[in-house]
């Protein structure tokens, strides 16, 4: 089993935050006024903030290659973010809230599926 280094962990969380930002943008693009998509978009932004709060204050988010994400739906981006959480060391004191991040991501994935995102 591969153990993540601190840098790997931060890069993984940074990538999760970037994927969530892109997912929220996709959801908001398709949201009509008073649409359930607005609630989903807000939920994705809140989980993005949750992921970002796990990062060290001086951490710089990695650049995102927009071409890599082009054509991916919000659901695909959320699923990719959830997959990145799997090897996170939830036993570390500074990542104790990563378990809630995983639960919230799974809830968002379920909601995105229900809404056809």
């Amino acid at each position: 089993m591969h153990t993540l280094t601190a840098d790997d962990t931060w890069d993984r969380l940074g990538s999760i935050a970037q994927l969530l930002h892109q997912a929220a943008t996709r959801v908001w693009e398709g949201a009509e006024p008073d649409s359930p998509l607005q609630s989903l978009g807000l939920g994705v932004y809140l989980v993005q903030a949750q992921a970002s709060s796990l990062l060290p204050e001086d951490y710089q988010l990695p650049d995102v290659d927009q071409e890599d994400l082009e054509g991916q739906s919000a659901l695909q981006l959320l699923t990719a973010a959830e997959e990145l959480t799997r090897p996170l060391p939830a036993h570390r004191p500074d990542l104790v809230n990563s378990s809630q991040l995983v639960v919230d991501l799974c809830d968002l994935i379920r909601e995105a599926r229900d809404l056809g995102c």
Side-chain angles (χ1 to χ4, degrees), residues 24-42 115 117:
T25 301
R26 299 267 187 332
V27 170
W28 281 99
E29 286 171 353
E32 304 265 333
D34 296 324
S35 164
L37 291 176
Q38 288 185 338
S39 294
L40 176 62
L42 177 58
L115 294 172
C117 293

Side-chain angles (χ1 to χ4, degrees), residues 71-87:
Q72 291 191 28
S73 69
L75 177 59
Q76 290 171 319
L77 295 168
L78 290 168
T79 302
E82 186 277 327
E83 289 172 0
L84 286 174
T85 65
R86 293 178 188 171

Side-chain angles (χ1 to χ4, degrees), residues 49-113:
Q50 183 181 5
S52 297
S53 74
L54 295 170
L55 292 166
E57 287 183 31
D58 60 344
Y59 181 81
Q60 296 293 316
L61 287 174
D63 290 330
V64 175
D65 187 354
Q66 296 296 327
E67 289 181 22
D68 289 345
L69 303 178
E70 200 169 296
Q72 291 191 28
S73 69
L75 177 59
Q76 290 171 319
L77 295 168
L78 290 168
T79 302
E82 186 277 327
E83 289 172 0
L84 286 174
T85 65
R86 293 178 188 171
L88 289 176
H91 63 280
R92 285 183 22 192
D94 56 343
L95 293 177
V96 71
N97 291 327
S98 65
S99 296
Q100 187 60 49
L101 174 66
V102 174
V103 170
D104 292 342
L105 272 168
C106 290
D107 288 344
L108 290 172
I109 290 168
R110 185 182 64 249
E111 186 175 348
R113 277 190 188 122

